């Protein structure tokens, strides 16, 4: 287990200055600890051996007071510095993540649950607090306090240094040994404990099923049995795992005991003076304390770093599609050509493109059809510049010029000419009108109302405050069909010449589907429309259909012609209810 | 529920393990006692040795020092084992208790909370109560015991020093902990709110990244998140000052107290009230005593989080039962007829009714399709039929008798359910199929697998029925999942079967084939098919169209198609819609 992830230093710059500060604070603390111990020893020795009163000891008592105050101040400083550093590092990681998403778009997140990532970036990342505020400072103390204390004791009483040298190094050594011996078992056991949480969740989620099958009562005994069984096994493992902390305590205390007995015997011989001996005895627990505390903070270190590394993985992933600086062609006149375009998502097969050839002509209404996972939505993502093809060329051709690859174009300027209606439109917090205005923040109310009307969003009239109605958190309160129409209104408001639509009529109820279809017909006028759809009824109305299968375009042409061509499209049609007797 | 009430309930929950908790307290006390003993005897040893007495007079002290030094490590080890044992046992009891409550509530009582994240938070919350059991109960008691021990010891030598130490221990243990708890609570609410806001903003940006980027609005959204982030960072920085204050106070009180004990000790030695060779013992005892109070402030801070978790758990488990079992249930029904008469159901007074006067009859051997948009009340009706919930008005009759007069378990033996999103448990395929009848013979299992068209797929798996499903096992497609759910319902053999959107999560190309196969497999039983896709006319005997809790159309499918109403409109749209699978594939 590394104590520090080097990526953290790279990606969260606050870590560096904090590390320097922590070492400084640790050094200062070590000095103050020694001063405090010697001052206290001087006071006690003065009274006991020298018969001094308080008046004679003002110097030592003053020094003791200063040391106590300084120690409190250092504790304050360390806590403040570490928690602030933690807050900054967490913010830096979050900003890095969001910046990454903002420049790369959704494809960079493919395969990651957004909800989980959001929780990791906000609540989960708090595990770093313990890492910064407890583990790292403790690490500094555990290294520096014994070092400085030994340096102080060495010239005064080398025998005590010998005892320290016998006990202190065995602590990390033994911890490593026990750690190695118990590691596999401990990890498996903690995993089993985590699994138990999952088992419990599994049972809770399946409760309706259990009840329906009359098994709920028996499951009660099962939960008790599984939990109890695991408790016994966990305790067996803990018996070994706790040995390391037990050993730590044992060594620390035996070390103190040996120091005390040794000092006592040397005092009898007269080879050491009382004040020095007492100072060493007072110092002894302080030497072992940070090492003991470090053992307790071990979990904090691993947990915090694991959470951070989840975010660092996203940050360190290669950029999806950086784009270029060339001015993009006018989307109204552009011909988009795909030559052998390929793209695969890391770690999954579905939706990959494997050498797709397709030309999108200006002003046409093109339908992309094909089975789930054929790569239809991926094609839209590439057109939007969310990802760059891993092979092949995606070229924008303008009449009278040679054309330019999408990867060389200023993607923001290109996207400014597009409109996109994804399969599950996202609604931002705010009013319904705000959501439409996403496409054009400066649009006036009349324009928004017009866009909503064009999109067939007549349901707006029934809302309590019309388009000014606030949508609940994450747009709750609107049905799938209503959300789809709000997203369509964005496309109308944007008045883009090239419109990309992803399954605009999937999962809609009867009324919504009819409204969306009518809106599409209006949208098609004077624009290039690329519609991904399962519903062949939508494809039937397109100028041209392209059939995708396994990441390739296997057939294309006007739907009327393909319907009788006996190819893949005709197959799809025969499988659906189009034209069939019902 | 106030913090005190929550804590009280938790302590009552801990009562069954009071023996083990007491043991862990005793061991914890002995652990700290050993360090106090070690420091006190060590201080005495070297002070007395400085007087150069004969070595024999020191032997007792030497033995004491060694004994304390050795015992502490052992005691600490035993204490950790005892406290974890008690905590794990309590957690096990708590899991079972929570399960029992949720079992009574599910699924109707959890309607609003059924979402996975809430359940997973519940599981986390239960786990978090470990903190209370390990760090919240024993350490304060141990600290109180150590307070008595150390001040008692000091009082024997120097009463004024004992007073100083008692005051300082109370200050460090109680005062600083209460301060930490207070400061923690004050910031925690605001921190939680800021974190919640930020999480929402971050999630909004992650989920809407595509659209924000497509519409060139990413910078605006980033600015909003940054504002929320800055707010959180500011709160955390303010919290850092408070945490620093708690840390500094703890150090100040313990360091100051040791100094003060020395200050009262020095004149006492000069005045002859305290033997000089006892001064180090007194001071070192005071030093060692603070080990008992040092973990308390941090534990107090964690406690407020754990109490919030406990409160969420209690709030969920305190919800009233959705159905009441009859005092003397009627004998188990045969399951020939299920009838709803003017059934009414409303989840909350301020919401529209989920069922608003529904009449429906299901006879054994007949198939009824219940169609309508989502939210029309279809699943509510299924829940009533399984006694997950009782009607608010009208009647639900099984074999002519009110459902509520039967034991819920008897009802569920004759009314089976295949859910929309059938849950597969994290175990083997065989165990999932045998869920309702663990004692079913292999032949019976083979028969239902055949009827659910799973035998080829199961035979293709390396371990057949013993193949685990889920994370460590085979991936199960949505279609296979529904088939397993069907097989398990068939195995129970309920004469009446409710299929709740059995094909909703299946690719449209296989949905129709799957539905037909499921209906074939259930031949001979009474089937209520809940769906928003339309069945083929020959698949069902009657269609009931439900909208907003009311029946808007009913009749034979051909008649409804001819009538040109809602059903016809749905059929027309569906007809030009989904592609149909060319050939049925087992296991979709």
């Amino acid at each position: 287990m590394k104590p520090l992830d080097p990526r953290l230093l790279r990606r969260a710059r606050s870590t560096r200055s904090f590390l320097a500060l922590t070492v400084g604070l640790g050094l200062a603390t070590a000095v103050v600890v020694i001063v405090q111990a010697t001052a206290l020893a001087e006071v006690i020795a003065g009274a006991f051996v020298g018969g001094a009163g308080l008046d004679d000891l003002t110097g030592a008592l003053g020094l003791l007071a200063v040391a106590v105050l300084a120690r409190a101040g250092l504790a304050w400083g360390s806590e403040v510095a570490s928690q602030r550093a933690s807050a900054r590092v967490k913010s830096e990681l979050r900003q890095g993540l969001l910046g990454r998403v903002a420049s790369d778009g959704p494809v960079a997140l493919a395969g990651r649950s957004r909800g989980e990532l959001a929780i990791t970036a906000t609540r989960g990342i708090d595990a770093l607090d313990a890492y910064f505020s407890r583990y790292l400072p403790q690490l500094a103390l555990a290294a520096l306090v014994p070092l400085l204390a030994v340096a102080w004791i060495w010239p005064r009483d080398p025998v005590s240094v010998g005892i320290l040298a016998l006990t202190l190094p065995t602590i990390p050594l033994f911890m490593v040994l026990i750690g190695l011996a118990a590691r596999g078992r401990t990890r498996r056991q903690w995993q089993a404990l985590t699994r138990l949480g999952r088992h419990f969740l599994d049972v809770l989620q399946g409760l309706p099923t259990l009840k329906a099958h009359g098994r709920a009562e028996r499951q009660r005994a099962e939960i008790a049995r599984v939990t109890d069984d695991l408790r016994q096994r966990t305790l067996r493992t803990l018996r070994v795992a706790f040995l390391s902390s037990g050993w730590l305590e044992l060594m620390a205390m035996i070390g103190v005991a040996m120091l005390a007995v040794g000092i006592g015997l040397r005092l009898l011989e007269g080879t050491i003076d009382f004040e020095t001996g007492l100072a060493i005895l007072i110092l002894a627990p302080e030497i072992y304390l940070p090492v003991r505390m470090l053992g307790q903070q071990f979990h904090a270190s691993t947990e915090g770093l694991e959470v951070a590394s989840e975010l660092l993985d996203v940050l360190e992933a290669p950029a999806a599609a950086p784009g270029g600086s060339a001015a993009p062609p006018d989307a109204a006149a552009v011909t988009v050509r795909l030559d052998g375009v390929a793209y695969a998502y890391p770690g999954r097969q579905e939706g990959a493109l494997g050498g797709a050839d397709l030309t999108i002509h200006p002003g046409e209404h093109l339908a992309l059809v094909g089975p789930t996972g054929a790569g239809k939505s991926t094609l839209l993502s590439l057109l939007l510049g969310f990802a760059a093809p891993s092979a092949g060329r995606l070229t924008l051709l303008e009449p009278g010029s040679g054309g330019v690859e999408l990867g060389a174009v200023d993607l923001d300027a290109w996207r400014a000419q597009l409109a996109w209606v994804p399969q599950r439109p996202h609604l931002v917090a705010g009013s319904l009108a705000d959501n439409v205005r996403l496409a054009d923040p400066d649009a006036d109310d009349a324009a928004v109302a017009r866009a909503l009307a064009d999109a067939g969003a007549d349901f707006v009239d029934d809302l309590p405050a019309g388009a000014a109605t606030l949508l609940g958190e994450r747009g709750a309160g609107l049905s799938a069909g209503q959300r789809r129409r709000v997203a369509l209104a964005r496309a109308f408001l944007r008045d883009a010449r090239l419109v990309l639509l992803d399954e605009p009529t999937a999962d809609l109820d009867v009324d919504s589907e009819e409204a969306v279809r009518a809106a599409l017909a209006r949208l098609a006028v004077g624009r290039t429309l690329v519609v991904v759809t399962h519903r062949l009824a939508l494809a039937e109305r397109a100028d041209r259909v392209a059939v995708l299968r396994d990441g390739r375009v296997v057939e294309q042409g006007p739907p009327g012609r393909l319907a009788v061509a006996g190819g893949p499209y005709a197959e799809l049609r025969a499988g659906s209810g189009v034209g069939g007797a019902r | 529920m106030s913090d005190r009430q929550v804590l009280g309930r938790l302590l009552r929950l801990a009562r069954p393990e009071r023996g083990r908790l007491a043991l862990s307290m005793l061991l914890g006390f002995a652990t700290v006692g050993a360090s106090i003993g070690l420091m006190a005897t060590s201080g005495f040893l070297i002070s007395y040795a400085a007087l150069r007495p004969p070595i024999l007079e020191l032997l007792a002290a030497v033995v004491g020092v060694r004994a304390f030094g050795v015992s502490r490590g052992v005691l600490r080890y035993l204490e950790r084992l005892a406290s974890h044992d008690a905590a794990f046992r309590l957690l096990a009891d708590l899991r079972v208790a929570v399960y029992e409550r949720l079992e009574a509530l599910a699924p109707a009582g959890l309607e609003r909370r059924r979402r996975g994240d809430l359940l997973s938070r519940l599981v986390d919350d239960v786990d978090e109560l470990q903190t209370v059991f390990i760090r919240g109960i024993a350490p304060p008691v141990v600290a109180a015991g150590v307070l008595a021990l150390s001040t008692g010891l000091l009082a024997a030598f120097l009463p004024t020093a004992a007073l100083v130490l008692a005051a300082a221990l109370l200050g460090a243990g109680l005062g600083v902990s209460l301060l930490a708890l207070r400061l923690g609570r004050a910031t925690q609410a605001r921190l939680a709110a800021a974190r919640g806001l930020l999480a929402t903003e971050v999630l909004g940006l992650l989920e809407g990244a595509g659209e924000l980027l497509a519409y060139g609005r990413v910078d605006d959204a980033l600015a909003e998140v940054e504002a929320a982030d800055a707010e959180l960072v500011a709160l955390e920085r303010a919290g850092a000052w408070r945490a620093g204050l708690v840390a500094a106070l703890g150090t100040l009180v313990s360091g100051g107290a040791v100094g003060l004990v020395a200050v009262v000790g020095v004149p006492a030695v000069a005045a002859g009230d305290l033997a000089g060779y006892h001064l180090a013992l007194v001071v070192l005892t005071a030093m060692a005593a603070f080990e008992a109070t040092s973990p308390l402030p941090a534990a107090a801070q964690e406690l407020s989080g754990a109490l919030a978790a406990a409160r969420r758990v209690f709030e969920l488990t305190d919800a009233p039962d959705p159905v009441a079992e009859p005092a003397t249930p009627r004998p188990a029904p045969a399951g020939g007829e299920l009838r709803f008469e003017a059934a009414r159901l409303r989840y909350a007074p301020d919401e529209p009714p989920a069922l608003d006067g529904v009449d429906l009859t299901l006879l054994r051997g007949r198939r009824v399709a219940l169609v309508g948009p989502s939210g029309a009340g279809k699943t509510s009706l299924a829940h009533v039929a399984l006694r997950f919930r009782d009607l608010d008005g009208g009647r639900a009759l099984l074999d002519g008798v009110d459902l509520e007069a039967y034991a819920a378990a008897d009802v569920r033996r004759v009314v089976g359910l295949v859910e929309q999103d059938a849950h597969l448990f994290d175990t083997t395929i065989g165990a999932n199929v045998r869920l309702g009848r663990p004692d079913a013979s292999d032949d019976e299992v083979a028969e239902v697998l055949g009827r659910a068209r799973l035998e080829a797929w199961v035979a293709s798996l390396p371990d057949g029925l013993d193949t685990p499903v889920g994370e460590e096992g085979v991936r199960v497609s949505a279609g296979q999942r529904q088939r397993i759910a069907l097989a398990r319902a068939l195995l129970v053999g309920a004469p009446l079967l409710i299929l709740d959107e059995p094909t909703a999560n299946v690719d449209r190309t296989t949905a129709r084939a799957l539905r037909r196969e499921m209906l074939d497999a259930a031949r001979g039983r009474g089937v209520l098919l809940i769906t928003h896709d339309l069945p083929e006319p020959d698949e069902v005997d009657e269609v009931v169209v439900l909208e907003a809790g009311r029946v808007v159309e009913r009749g034979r499918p051909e008649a409804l198609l001819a009538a040109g109403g809602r059903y016809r409109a749905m059929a027309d749209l569906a007809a030009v819609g989904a592609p149909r699978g060319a050939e049925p594939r087992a296991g979709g």
Side-chain angles (χ1 to χ4, degrees):
Chain A
M1 210 346 273
K2 278 190 219 144
L4 190 72
D5 190 334
R7 295 182 300 173
L8 207 53
L9 293 179
R10 213 161 45 234
R11 293 286 165 182
R13 309 188 72 84
S14 303
T15 317
R16 299 181 188 198
S17 51
F18 171 67
L19 280 182
L21 189 62
T22 297
V23 171
L25 286 168
L27 265 179
T29 305
V31 170
V32 169
V33 162
I34 293 169
V35 169
Q36 190 183 358
T38 50
L40 190 59
E42 192 184 334
V43 170
I44 294 172
F48 167 41
V49 181
L54 282 179
D55 297 342
D56 309 308
L57 296 168
T58 44
L61 282 170
L63 199 59
L64 183 63
V66 169
V68 167
L69 284 172
R71 222 175 149 176
L74 285 168
W76 179 316
S78 169
E79 196 75 28
V80 171
S82 59
Q83 295 218 4
R84 286 179 157 208
S86 171
R88 264 200 314 275
V89 168
K90 289 189 292 183
S91 168
E92 281 169 355
L93 287 176
R94 269 196 298 267
Q95 299 291 338
L97 169 77
L98 296 177
R100 210 34 225 281
V101 172
S103 63
D104 275 10
V107 175
L109 299 175
R112 283 199 167 83
S113 149
R114 278 122 225 249
E116 274 173 35
L117 209 52
I119 298 289
T120 305
T122 49
R123 286 189 197 102
I125 201 175
D126 283 338
L128 270 182
D129 283 341
Y131 174 72
F132 274 94
S133 63
R134 301 206 201 115
Y135 182 73
L136 282 182
Q138 207 61 56
L139 190 64
L141 287 179
L144 293 168
V145 170
L147 202 70
L148 260 66
V150 164
W152 182 84
I153 298 172
W154 185 283
R156 292 167 179 83
D157 186 26
V159 182
S160 291
V161 174
I163 293 173
L164 286 171
L166 273 180
T167 51
L168 210 50
T170 71
I171 293 175
L173 189 75
F174 200 76
M175 282 178 81
V176 169
L177 283 179
I178 290 191
L180 285 178
R183 188 173 55 188
R185 276 174 70 188
T186 318
R187 189 174 303 155
R188 272 198 302 281
Q189 219 50 50
W190 285 119
Q191 275 168 356
L193 270 181
T194 323
R195 254 208 311 278
L196 180 68
R198 240 189 293 139
H199 168 77
F200 191 38
L201 183 61
D202 182 39
V203 170
L204 291 189
Q205 281 168 342
L207 253 176
T209 309
L210 290 170
K211 276 177 87 166
H213 288 89
R215 288 285 290 172
E217 301 229 355
R218 256 180 275 186
Q219 196 62 37
R220 190 183 305 179
E222 176 71 5
I223 287 189
R225 190 191 63 73
V226 169
T227 315
D228 200 57
D229 179 53
L230 192 68
R231 176 187 62 76
Q232 290 177 20
R233 283 192 287 133
T234 305
L235 274 177
R236 273 202 291 279
T237 312
L238 287 183
R239 267 175 226 156
V240 179
F242 284 167
L243 270 186
S244 73
S245 65
W247 179 261
L248 203 141
E249 298 278 351
L250 192 67
M251 277 301 109
M253 288 303 130
I254 285 183
V256 172
M258 282 166 70
L259 281 174
V261 171
I263 291 169
L265 292 179
R266 266 167 285 133
L267 278 168
L268 272 183
E269 293 164 8
T271 53
I272 189 176
D273 69 299
F274 176 71
E275 191 182 322
T276 309
L278 184 62
I280 294 172
L281 182 64
I282 293 173
L283 212 45
E286 303 270 18
I287 296 173
Y288 291 101
L289 183 71
V291 186
R292 270 166 53 200
M293 299 296 285
L294 189 65
Q296 288 178 21
Q297 305 300 345
F298 188 67
H299 267 306
S301 79
T302 47
E303 209 182 313
L305 283 181
E306 262 163 34
V307 174
S309 83
E310 222 173 291
L311 295 181
L312 287 165
D313 285 344
V314 179
L315 292 186
E316 300 259 311
S325 54
D330 180 7
V334 75
T335 299
V336 182
R337 210 170 76 206
L338 286 78
D339 299 305
V341 163
Y343 183 84
Y345 297 91
R348 70 178 162 110
Q349 283 272 297
E350 283 148 51
L353 285 177
D357 300 307
L358 183 69
T359 305
I360 303 166
H361 303 288
E364 79 168 332
H365 178 177
L366 173 70
L368 297 176
V369 300
T372 314
K376 305 187 295 291
S377 301
T378 309
L379 206 147
L380 293 193
S381 287
L382 295 182
L383 289 176
L384 282 156
F386 290 160
S390 55
R393 289 155 55 88
L394 204 172
T395 325
L396 308 176
L397 299 158
E398 217 173 356
S401 83
V404 57
E405 280 209 41
L406 183 60
V409 160
D410 177 353
L411 288 176
D412 284 337
W414 166 245
R415 287 192 281 250
Q417 304 185 63
L418 309 184
W420 175 49
V421 180
Q423 204 169 346
R424 271 178 290 276
H426 176 75
L427 297 187
V428 298
S431 70
L432 196 143
D434 291 340
N435 267 287
V436 179
R437 278 202 185 91
L438 189 78
D440 178 6
D442 303 322
D444 59 24
D445 288 350
V448 169
R450 219 168 28 245
L452 281 167
D454 281 340
D458 44 3
F459 64 90
V460 174
D461 303 333
D462 300 331
L463 294 176
T469 304
L470 287 177
L471 302 180
E473 193 181 321
R474 291 166 67 188
L478 291 192
S479 74
Q482 291 168 337
R483 293 164 76 111
R484 200 71 57 73
R485 277 175 272 171
V486 171
L488 273 173
R490 286 177 187 158
F492 277 106
L493 186 66
R494 181 91 158 170
D495 201 19
R497 294 293 108 182
L498 174 53
V499 183
L500 310 174
L501 300 127
D502 200 346
E503 298 279 9
T505 58
D507 306 320
L508 295 194
D509 57 66
V510 178
D511 295 336
S512 303
E513 182 157 352
E514 204 36 70
V516 168
R517 271 197 220 185
L520 284 181
R522 285 190 289 276
L523 193 62
V525 178
R527 296 181 177 89
T528 313
L529 230 59
V530 181
V531 184
V532 163
T533 183
H534 256 111
R535 295 275 202 189
L536 294 191
L538 274 185
E540 300 280 289
R541 301 185 184 181
D543 301 329
R544 216 155 55 86
V545 176
V547 183
L548 265 80
R549 191 176 284 170
D550 299 329
R552 291 167 173 275
V553 177
V554 290
E555 190 180 35
Q556 51 181 310
R561 184 160 64 74
L562 295 190
V564 294
Y569 184 73
E571 250 176 63
L572 280 176
R573 251 178 130 256
S576 83
V578 184
R582 173 105 212 163
Chain B
M1 252 184 290
S2 73
D3 275 357
R4 194 166 305 181
Q5 282 169 312
V6 175
L7 198 60
R9 279 181 75 167
L10 282 174
L11 288 178
R12 274 198 296 283
L13 281 176
R15 204 175 286 163
E17 296 300 329
R18 53 179 178 268
R20 285 191 178 79
L21 283 172
L23 179 68
S24 85
M25 286 171 194
L26 203 67
L27 287 166
F29 172 73
T31 307
V32 184
S35 0
I36 292 176
L38 174 66
M39 290 316 282
T41 44
S42 296
F44 170 76
L45 171 68
I46 68 165
S47 302
Y48 202 64
L51 299 177
R52 306 250 188 126
I55 192 159
L56 279 177
E57 288 184 28
L58 279 178
L59 273 187
V62 169
V63 169
V65 166
R66 286 185 179 147
F68 285 128
V70 173
S71 62
R72 185 192 143 98
V74 179
L75 287 167
R76 176 83 183 134
Y77 176 75
L78 293 176
E79 183 260 325
R80 286 190 78 185
L81 280 185
S83 65
H84 280 79
D85 187 25
F88 286 156
R89 280 171 195 270
L90 285 171
L91 218 54
D93 295 349
L94 194 65
R95 277 208 183 90
V96 173
V98 167
Y99 175 78
E100 277 175 9
R101 276 309 298 154
L102 292 190
E103 184 214 313
L105 293 171
L110 305 172
E111 215 77 68
R112 315 284 136 148
R113 310 168 189 254
R114 216 189 136 184
R115 287 174 33 214
D117 55 335
L118 274 165
L119 279 181
S120 68
R121 204 173 82 173
L122 172 75
V123 172
D124 289 344
D125 281 343
V126 171
D127 280 345
E128 194 175 336
L129 297 184
Q130 262 187 92
T131 311
V132 178
F133 297 139
I134 294 181
R135 306 183 57 170
I137 297 177
V141 179
V142 169
V146 168
L147 175 86
L149 173 79
S150 55
T151 53
L153 187 67
L154 282 205
F157 294 98
L158 189 63
T160 44
L163 280 178
V164 169
L165 180 64
L169 279 175
L170 275 178
L174 205 59
V176 179
S177 295
L178 286 179
L179 183 73
L181 191 64
R182 251 188 115 110
L183 291 177
R185 209 183 294 147
T187 39
Q188 231 142 35
R190 292 175 64 196
L191 269 175
R195 263 188 214 117
L197 180 70
L198 183 62
T200 312
E201 296 272 353
V202 169
L203 187 63
L205 201 140
L206 294 182
E207 283 188 334
E211 275 133 308
L212 293 167
L213 202 56
Y215 287 114
R217 300 295 299 280
V218 164
D219 291 338
D220 302 337
L222 268 183
E224 270 176 47
V225 182
E226 267 164 38
D229 196 310
E231 162 95 22
L232 177 62
V233 170
L235 276 175
E236 286 181 329
R237 289 170 71 96
W241 278 93
R242 299 194 182 92
L245 186 67
V246 169
L249 274 179
T251 312
L252 196 65
V253 170
S254 60
V258 173
L260 266 182
V261 167
V263 166
V264 298
V266 169
V269 171
D273 296 336
L274 180 69
Y277 58 85
H278 282 151
L279 182 58
L281 179 158
V282 168
V283 173
L284 291 182
T285 298
M287 240 175 88
F290 284 95
E291 187 195 338
T293 59
S294 65
L296 294 184
Q301 262 168 332
E302 276 179 36
L303 200 61
S304 63
L307 288 180
R311 187 172 295 128
R312 285 192 294 268
V313 172
F314 289 145
E315 266 165 14
L316 186 61
T317 56
D318 286 351
D321 284 353
V323 295
E325 285 281 315
T328 47
R330 299 280 300 240
E337 182 207 49
L338 176 68
R339 198 164 74 236
F340 291 93
E341 291 176 356
R344 271 198 308 282
L345 179 65
R346 193 190 287 267
Y347 289 112
D350 56 343
E351 281 178 31
L355 296 176
D356 195 6
V358 174
D359 295 309
L360 189 143
T361 304
L362 178 66
L363 291 168
R364 195 187 289 198
R366 302 263 295 172
R367 295 170 181 172
V368 178
L370 190 59
V371 301
S374 50
K378 306 189 297 287
T379 299
S380 299
L381 203 68
H383 282 179
V384 172
L386 277 130
R387 278 216 80 202
F388 286 164
R389 172 179 279 287
D390 290 336
L391 290 175
D392 297 329
R395 302 173 72 189
L397 303 163
L398 189 56
D399 295 348
V401 176
D402 262 319
L403 268 182
E404 294 164 32
Y406 296 113
D410 288 339
V411 171
R412 290 171 200 150
R413 256 192 284 281
V414 296
V415 183
L417 173 71
V418 175
E419 300 158 273
Q420 180 174 156
D421 190 6
H423 188 83
L424 287 195
F425 292 92
D426 200 356
T427 167
T428 63
I429 295 172
N432 266 295
V433 172
R434 280 199 166 97
L435 185 75
R437 268 186 60 206
D439 55 344
S441 72
D442 289 352
D443 288 346
E444 286 172 307
V445 172
E447 200 234 317
V448 296
L449 286 178
R451 284 166 70 187
R453 304 221 176 176
L454 280 167
E455 76 262 75
W457 175 63
V458 170
S460 75
L461 295 171
D463 296 324
L465 277 176
D466 295 328
T467 310
V469 296
E471 278 183 38
E472 284 158 32
V474 65
R475 256 187 64 127
V476 177
S477 75
Q480 285 152 354
R481 176 188 299 268
Q482 294 306 112
R483 287 173 198 274
I484 293 173
L486 174 70
R488 115 176 129 199
L490 291 176
L491 191 62
V492 172
L496 300 173
L497 199 56
I498 297 175
L499 307 179
D500 187 0
E501 303 267 9
T503 60
N505 299 307
V506 179
D507 201 303
R508 281 175 190 245
T509 46
T510 42
R512 281 169 204 236
L514 177 61
R515 187 180 61 230
R516 186 169 275 272
E517 287 165 23
M518 291 177 96
L519 287 172
D520 279 349
R523 200 168 288 277
R525 300 164 204 241
V527 176
L528 181 65
L529 172 68
I530 295 176
T531 177
H532 71 251
D533 281 347
L534 302 190
E536 305 285 338
D538 63 330
E539 285 177 344
V540 294
D541 303 305
E542 186 190 10
V543 170
V544 176
V545 182
L546 205 61
E547 271 178 23
R550 291 174 162 277
V551 176
V552 293
E553 268 182 21
R554 70 192 321 152
R556 293 196 56 80
E558 310 90 311
L560 290 185
L561 280 175
R566 297 296 290 171
Y567 189 69
R568 174 79 214 193
M570 293 184 202
D572 285 348
L573 269 172
V576 288
R580 219 182 300 176
E583 55 190 65
R585 279 202 318 261

